[in-house]
């Protein structure tokens, strides 16, 4: 069996379609034959104005769907411009296949138009970088790239198609390549060892869920393990959405974003079980004292296992580890620990109640202040959201309110990685909506991030709308302005924020733009915006905010000046 293709793009797109890829994001260069190949195969292209935002969209799609995403680029500066998005995809563990153009083989080293050693540029940022040197290698290289992107562990890969390879006829012999078939593994009791021994001995355990558990918690395996162990359940920021935040053991996001009662609970634990996380800085520092206790780490990626903490490290799939440990505990849990378990359960319950009271107090405080305060806004967003919704966030000073339990409860969540590139959430929301068309998608972003993605939002609104943008307007970069104030620097000389009118948006029939200032009409405005989005439009709600509207964990942790 053999098949002949007129060019490389046609062969590549055929392989992508055979492996379930239905959407491509990108800003191709002068070569637009890729678009013709996509049209012929029935695949959709989300055209972008900026290569960095194209990578953010693809990353959002991959993280939300759990399937590989494709991003198409030109050559030279197109690749360097996308580098920030590649870095974010790597840190987020997003399976993204980057297809880039390249100068012809015969012109390499001649200093030709947009010539760059693109493999050398991208290799540190991806799991695999490769330049296809011959037409016979196009299909095998694409199959390899897809396989490496999906993993485990998943992550971005880079595949470069030189112009002379791109235009060559491609002959494929044999059946179409497909992704490797995963081998289903039956949950088995965990092998006796240091990790299981530490878990059995613990009386005040904490389970910390990282971003690697996204799409890996079918059937509530993690919640079941926490119940069986009697553990307080936390997530990293990237791990939100992997577990049910309405679960009675859930205590919020750990580290920098944890509420005071959760920090107190954390500091009194005797074991931390980290599932598919990297123990990044915002988890282990920033307001929550990391307890001097053993840490059981489980990660399928060796690079995700930290050597900075005492305790057993397990290289493997965290889901299988959880199922195995649960079965082992069911079979041979040592008797005589009921009192200690009950005391810890009471502490978890007390912390949760204290956090709920803190929320009520924060909302009462906000109600007495003029203008719309951010906790009021988040409470109204929750109250008006449907059952299936995703909150896509940035990582600025004031949009970090959405990281704090329990101001946003339930639903899905997507945040930038520890790299926190500006504009990620604003652009990634477009990819998230493509991956979850039946979900409400709300992007909770600052005005700086919104401006970074404004061209994409306007351009994609007619064909790829349905997203609600809630834009916190402080006139620029609140985090930098807070640090400026901490150092006593002159605000006029260093104007990181310029309070005033919200940033303009591009008008059009597919865009609804409103400025929200009145508490009394907040819910009405949100409901109207959600209805507009449900009909396929893009709604942008600008909310002016004041500099002192800062999340309590950041205020209490001394991260910003008071």
């Amino acid at each position: 069996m053999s098949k002949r293709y007129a060019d490389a793009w046609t062969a590549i797109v055929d392989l992508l379609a055979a492996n379930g890829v239905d959407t491509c994001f990108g800003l191709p260069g002068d070569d637009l034959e890729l678009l013709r190949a996509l049209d012929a195969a029935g695949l959709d292209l989300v055209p972008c104005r900026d290569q960095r935002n194209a990578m953010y969209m693809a990353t959002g799609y991959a993280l939300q769907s759990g399937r590989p995403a494709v991003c198409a680029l030109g050559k030279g500066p197109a690749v360097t411009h996308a580098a920030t998005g590649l870095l974010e995809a790597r840190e987020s563990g997003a399976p993204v296949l980057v297809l880039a153009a390249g100068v012809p083989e015969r012109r390499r080293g001649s200093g030709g138009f947009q010539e760059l050693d693109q493999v050398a540029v991208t290799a540190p940022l991806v799991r695999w970088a490769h330049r296809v040197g011959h037409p016979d290698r196009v299909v095998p290289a694409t199959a390899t790239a897809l396989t490496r992107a999906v993993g485990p562990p998943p992550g971005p890969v880079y595949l470069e198609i030189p112009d002379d390879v791109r235009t060559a006829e491609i002959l494929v012999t044999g059946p179409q390549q497909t992704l490797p078939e995963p081998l289903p593994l039956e949950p088995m009791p965990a092998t006796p060892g240091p990790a299981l021994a530490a878990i059995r001995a613990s009386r005040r355990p904490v389970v910390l869920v990282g971003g690697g558990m996204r799409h890996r918690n079918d059937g509530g395996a993690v919640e079941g393990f926490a119940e069986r162990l009697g553990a307080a359940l936390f997530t990293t920021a990237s791990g939100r959405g992997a577990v049910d935040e309405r679960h009675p053991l859930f205590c919020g996001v750990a580290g920098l974003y944890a509420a005071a009662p959760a920090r107190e609970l954390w500091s009194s634990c005797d074991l931390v079980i980290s599932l598919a996380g990297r123990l990044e800085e915002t988890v282990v520092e920033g307001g929550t004292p990391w307890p001097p206790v053993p840490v059981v780490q489980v990660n399928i990626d060796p690079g995700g296992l930290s050597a900075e903490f005492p305790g057993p490290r397990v290289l493997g799939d965290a889901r299988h580890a959880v199922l195995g440990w649960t079965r082992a505990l069911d079979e041979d849990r040592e008797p005589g620990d009921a009192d200690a378990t009950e005391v810890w359960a009471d502490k978890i319950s007390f912390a949760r109640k204290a956090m709920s009271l803190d929320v009520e107090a924060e909302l009462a405080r906000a109600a007495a202040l003029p203008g719309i305060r951010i906790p009021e806004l988040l409470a109204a967003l929750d109250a008006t959201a449907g059952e299936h919704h995703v909150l896509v966030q940035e990582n600025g000073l004031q949009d970090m309110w959405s990281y704090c339990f329990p101001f946003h409860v339930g639903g899905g969540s997507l945040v930038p990685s520890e790299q926190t590139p500006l504009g990620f959430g604003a652009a990634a929301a477009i990819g998230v909506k493509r991956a979850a068309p039946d979900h409400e998608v709300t992007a909770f972003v600052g005005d700086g991030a919104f401006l970074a993605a404004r061209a994409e939002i306007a351009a994609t609104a007619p064909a790829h709308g349905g997203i609600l943008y809630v834009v916190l307007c402080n006139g620029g970069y609140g985090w930098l302005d807070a640090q400026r104030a901490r150092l006593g620097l002159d605000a006029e000389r260093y104007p990181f924020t310029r309070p005033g009118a919200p940033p303009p948006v591009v008008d059009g029939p597919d865009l609804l733009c409103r400025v929200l200032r009145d508490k009394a009409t907040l819910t009405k405005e949100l409901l109207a915006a959600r209805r507009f989005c449900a009909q396929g439009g893009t709604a942008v709600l600008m909310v002016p905010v004041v500099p002192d509207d800062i999340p309590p964990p950041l205020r209490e942790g001394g991260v910003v000046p008071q």
Side-chain angles (χ1 to χ4, degrees):
M1 183 196 314
S2 63
K3 190 169 183 179
R4 194 174 300 274
Y5 298 93
D7 55 40
W9 287 141
T10 307
I12 290 172
V13 169
D14 195 33
L15 177 61
L16 296 177
N19 284 279
V21 174
D22 59 7
T23 304
C24 180
F25 304 86
L27 179 59
D30 295 338
D31 156 40
L32 297 183
E33 284 90 345
L34 173 60
L35 275 60
R36 186 166 54 190
L38 291 169
D39 286 346
L43 274 65
D44 198 8
L45 174 77
V46 179
C48 304
R49 297 294 189 268
D50 181 296
Q51 293 89 349
R52 179 184 53 182
N53 287 332
M55 279 298 308
Y56 293 163
M57 291 183 200
T59 299
Y61 178 97
L63 292 175
Q64 177 64 32
S65 68
R67 302 190 304 272
V70 176
C71 182
L73 307 173
K75 60 173 79 84
V79 174
T80 58
H81 203 194
T84 301
L86 279 172
L87 175 63
E88 176 60 30
R90 186 194 70 180
E91 294 299 298
S92 296
V96 178
L97 166 60
V98 177
L99 296 172
V103 298
E105 280 290 319
R106 68 179 184 277
R107 297 296 304 275
R108 293 189 73 179
S110 67
F113 180 67
Q114 294 186 333
E115 181 181 1
L116 175 70
D117 187 351
Q118 295 166 192
V119 170
V121 169
T122 58
L125 304 175
V126 297
R127 297 206 176 275
W128 188 60
H130 181 68
R131 175 181 165 98
V132 180
H134 191 276
D136 290 350
R137 302 304 307 159
V138 167
V139 171
T142 305
T144 299
L146 270 178
T147 300
R148 296 202 180 195
V150 172
V157 296
Y158 171 84
L159 191 64
E160 182 177 330
I161 313 297
D163 287 342
D164 48 355
V165 173
R166 169 181 58 82
T167 57
E169 184 179 76
I170 307 296
L171 177 63
V172 176
T173 59
Q176 184 67 277
Q177 289 276 0
T178 58
L179 288 171
E181 180 181 354
L183 179 64
L185 298 178
E186 291 294 327
M188 300 292 291
T191 304
L196 183 55
I199 291 169
R200 283 174 170 154
S202 174
R203 297 298 176 264
R204 302 185 306 278
V206 162
V207 171
L208 176 62
V209 181
M213 286 305 299
R214 186 183 293 271
H215 306 294
R216 299 292 299 152
N217 191 29
D218 295 347
V222 172
E223 292 90 331
F225 174 60
E227 291 168 6
R228 184 63 187 81
L229 194 57
L233 187 58
F234 286 83
T235 71
T236 66
S238 298
R240 292 193 73 182
V243 298
D244 183 1
E245 297 192 0
R246 293 160 294 192
H247 194 278
L249 292 174
F250 183 70
C251 296
V253 179
L256 176 64
Y257 314 111
R263 295 200 299 270
E264 184 177 345
L265 182 72
W266 183 275
S267 65
S268 61
C269 74
D270 65 0
L271 179 71
V272 176
I273 305 167
S274 174
L275 303 176
R278 294 177 179 169
L279 298 180
E280 55 262 37
E281 183 178 338
T282 53
V283 174
V284 303
E285 298 181 13
T288 303
W290 188 266
V293 300
V295 181
V296 174
Q297 300 179 58
V298 192
N299 206 306
I300 202 165
D301 180 4
L305 293 171
S306 173
E308 306 298 322
F309 302 91
R313 295 183 297 165
V314 178
L315 182 61
D317 183 271
R319 173 177 173 81
H320 293 141
V322 162
L323 292 173
W325 287 335
T326 302
R327 177 178 288 190
L329 293 173
D330 286 340
E331 291 177 351
D332 59 4
R333 177 79 172 187
E334 295 180 7
D337 58 358
D339 290 344
T341 301
E342 185 174 348
V343 170
W344 186 237
D346 289 344
K347 287 187 175 181
I348 295 171
S349 178
F350 178 82
R352 285 175 51 84
K353 290 178 182 177
M355 286 187 283
S356 295
L357 291 175
D358 286 350
V359 170
E360 293 176 10
E362 194 68 49
L363 289 172
R365 186 179 77 88
L369 295 171
I372 297 171
R373 305 292 288 193
I374 301 174
E376 295 176 300
L377 178 58
L378 284 166
L381 282 170
D382 271 346
T384 58
E387 180 181 358
H388 302 292
H389 63 280
V390 184
L391 186 68
V392 186
Q393 296 134 99
E394 288 282 337
N395 195 258
L397 175 64
Q398 293 178 305
D399 32 347
M400 279 193 286
W401 265 103
S402 61
Y403 288 54
C404 302
F405 175 86
F407 294 112
H408 172 64
V409 180
S413 173
L414 193 141
V415 302
S417 73
E418 196 80 344
Q419 297 292 336
T420 67
L422 179 73
F424 169 76
I430 298 169
V432 170
K433 184 63 177 179
R434 287 287 305 178
D438 296 331
H439 285 54
E440 292 178 347
V441 175
T442 301
F444 194 74
V445 305
D447 47 6
F450 175 80
L451 286 172
R454 181 175 58 178
E456 309 293 354
I457 294 166
T460 58
H464 308 285
I467 303 166
L468 169 60
Y469 285 89
V470 178
V471 185
L472 306 179
C473 300
N474 59 14
Y477 304 123
W479 182 268
L480 290 177
D481 194 62
Q483 304 312 315
R484 175 205 56 75
R486 180 175 62 84
L487 296 174
L489 298 173
D490 185 0
E492 293 187 5
R493 186 176 180 186
Y494 302 103
F496 291 113
T497 62
R498 290 185 180 275
V505 297
V506 178
D507 293 327
D510 305 289
L511 283 161
L512 169 69
C513 183
R514 300 277 293 167
V515 178
L516 306 187
R517 302 181 188 273
D518 187 358
K519 295 177 188 282
T521 62
L522 176 58
T523 298
K524 178 181 176 182
E525 294 277 14
L526 286 175
L527 287 172
R530 292 201 185 279
R531 287 193 295 269
F532 187 79
C533 293
Q535 298 169 359
T538 295
V540 180
L541 302 181
M542 303 286 186
V543 185
V545 295
V546 292
D548 68 348
D549 199 352
I550 299 171
L554 301 187
R555 294 199 309 257
E556 297 161 3
V559 178
V560 294
Q562 303 305 303

